[in-house]
Amino acid sequence: MNWEHHAAALAERVTDPDSRWRDAVAGVPRHILVPNWWERGPEGWTLYRGEDDPQRWAQVAYGAESAVTSVGGQHADHAAPDDHPTGRPTSSATLAALVVKMLRHGRIGDGHDVLDVGTGAGGLTAHLARRIGDRHVTSVDVDPYLVDAARLRLAALGLRPACEAVDATGPLPGTYDRIVSTVGVRPVPTSWLAALRPGGRLVTTIRDTALILTAWKTPDGGARGVVERDWAGFMGTRHGADYPPGPVEAFEAAREADGEEVSTGRYPVADVRDGWEVWSFLSVSVPGIEYDYEECGGRRTAYLVHPDGSWARAEAARFEPPTVHQGGPRRLWSELESVRTRLLVEGGLPLYGCDATVRPDGTIHLSRGRWEATVT
């Protein structure tokens, strides 16, 4: 593979001509870090091996999408061609454009010691080590195999940052000028605040949202910053090989039950996960809410569930008002419709650009004008 050509084209696409990250992106053969991956198809998750299709390999490694490398805790490196794992993705090789975005928000300079939270395939670690030198880079992940594989593959590229297998919500190995996370957290782990040096900067996403939080360490042990006028979405932190089971019973009810309340919805059914501002605001307002969506035969169906047993199902053709079934202690579809109404009435939602204060216990307080919310 002529990886230099692909890497140079990628660098040109995702960085500005004068970007400090351009040479770092152009200098990393990313395909070495992603030899195998999963793609979702008609039979579920299907294994792809780069060596079997070099052209597809180049498209995945240097393309515009993240490549899922582990599903339900099963690594693509360990899979057989006829394996079709079930469950949620648990690791991926993040697309370079998103990696560069998070690094830019880090405001990383020469001499800074940086912690990369969420090693994954090692892409961000590689670009960071190329830019500031591997002795200034530490990368951590909860998955020991990912850490070992990344360490070996990075070493093959001549890069030897510190890579350690730790649960990032617990104690961290050292102190740092910058912490850049490609996993979502909610709240900010207190260990991150303890590991951040005075005047240091934190960059992460708030779990279950598309909100990028940037904050500077404050003397009280917390941090103060903003929700950037930008967006990104990552998997959330976990404590083992896989995530715990979701609210299965609530989803079953949402798919089958008649509901305690049946009504006609105000707005057409849409996949609100594609409307990042709406979904993020709903997730902040109703912590723990989960969503699913499907299209079949010209009809759209959306499902909302919550760990408290609440659920909602809305179904309609594209532009029709939906029939909405809801059950449990709260009306989740009504919560969503109130967010969509606020967006239309006010022309926007008060999340992006809002002030953010991270208290020493990790709680995130958001505020803008008369609106405020606390993320725990």
Side-chain angles (χ1 to χ4, degrees):
M1 181 189 299
N2 181 10
W3 72 265
E4 292 91 346
H5 165 75
H6 294 293
L10 175 64
E12 185 173 359
R13 190 167 67 249
V14 303
T15 66
D16 295 323
D18 63 347
S19 172
R20 296 177 301 162
W21 297 103
R22 174 160 287 204
D23 290 344
V25 175
V28 173
R30 287 172 57 91
H31 67 287
I32 299 298
L33 304 175
V34 197
N36 310 294
W37 67 94
W38 298 104
E39 291 187 19
R40 195 192 296 270
E43 297 183 7
W45 292 101
T46 300
L47 178 67
Y48 283 78
R49 298 189 184 279
E51 292 183 350
D52 296 339
D53 189 346
Q55 183 175 358
R56 178 61 182 156
W57 193 8
Q59 291 174 348
V60 168
Y62 302 95
E65 295 183 8
S66 297
V68 173
T69 55
S70 179
V71 174
Q74 183 174 4
H75 299 287
D77 290 347
H78 302 155
D82 57 350
D83 285 342
H84 299 286
T86 59
R88 298 166 58 183
T90 49
S91 184
S92 68
T94 304
L95 69 153
L98 190 49
V99 166
V100 171
K101 176 186 294 190
M102 298 300 285
L103 291 171
R104 283 173 173 164
H105 283 303
R107 300 187 187 175
I108 298 163
D110 295 337
H112 282 154
D113 293 323
V114 183
L115 177 68
D116 163 28
V117 180
T119 306
L124 186 146
T125 313
H127 297 319
L128 190 55
R130 284 277 191 233
R131 169 67 185 85
I132 64 173
D134 49 18
R135 69 188 181 89
H136 291 291
V137 180
T138 300
S139 185
V140 298
D141 200 291
V142 71
D143 189 323
Y145 173 73
L146 289 175
V147 172
D148 290 341
R151 184 188 296 114
L152 290 172
R153 290 164 184 166
L154 290 167
L157 307 183
L159 302 173
R160 292 176 173 78
C163 297
E164 299 195 26
V166 300
D167 183 338
T169 63
L172 296 173
T175 61
Y176 310 92
D177 301 297
R178 301 288 188 268
I179 296 177
V180 179
S181 173
T182 51
V183 293
V185 294
R186 186 180 189 148
V188 174
T190 56
S191 60
W192 294 18
L193 298 170
L196 199 59
R197 293 171 183 162
R201 183 171 173 84
L202 165 70
V203 181
T204 188
T205 55
I206 298 176
R207 183 172 182 156
D208 299 325
T209 75
L211 305 178
I212 300 175
L213 169 68
T214 63
W216 298 96
K217 181 77 172 281
T218 49
D220 65 356
R224 185 173 295 114
V226 299
V227 170
E228 295 287 345
R229 294 182 182 275
D230 200 352
W231 48 86
F234 295 105
M235 301 172 195
T237 53
R238 51 190 168 85
H239 306 291
D242 199 359
Y243 294 101
V248 176
E249 292 182 359
F251 266 118
E252 289 177 350
R255 294 182 187 282
E256 299 175 4
D258 290 333
E260 300 159 10
E261 178 182 304
V262 182
S263 62
T264 300
R266 184 173 184 179
Y267 303 109
V269 177
D271 189 344
V272 297
R273 291 170 300 189
D274 293 334
W276 290 352
E277 189 176 16
V278 170
W279 175 245
S280 296
F281 195 91
L282 180 65
S283 184
V284 168
S285 304
V286 189
I289 195 168
E290 296 192 36
Y291 186 84
D292 199 6
Y293 172 85
E294 59 191 22
E295 292 187 29
C296 182
R299 297 190 67 78
R300 299 176 169 191
T301 308
Y303 308 93
L304 290 165
V305 303
H306 191 272
D308 68 4
S310 301
W311 61 269
R313 179 179 72 252
E315 182 180 6
R318 185 176 183 185
F319 293 110
E320 294 177 354
T323 300
V324 181
H325 297 253
Q326 301 189 83
R330 70 172 84 187
R331 298 295 177 251
L332 299 180
W333 194 260
S334 302
E335 296 270 8
L336 172 59
E337 291 208 327
S338 70
V339 175
R340 296 175 76 175
T341 297
R342 181 169 187 164
L343 176 64
L344 291 173
V345 170
E346 299 183 3
L349 297 171
L351 277 176
Y352 291 101
C354 74
D355 293 329
T357 299
V358 183
R359 296 168 181 156
D361 66 357
T363 300
I364 307 166
H365 182 73
L366 306 176
S367 64
R368 185 177 179 185
R370 292 180 294 176
W371 174 82
E372 61 181 11
T374 299
V375 178
T376 59

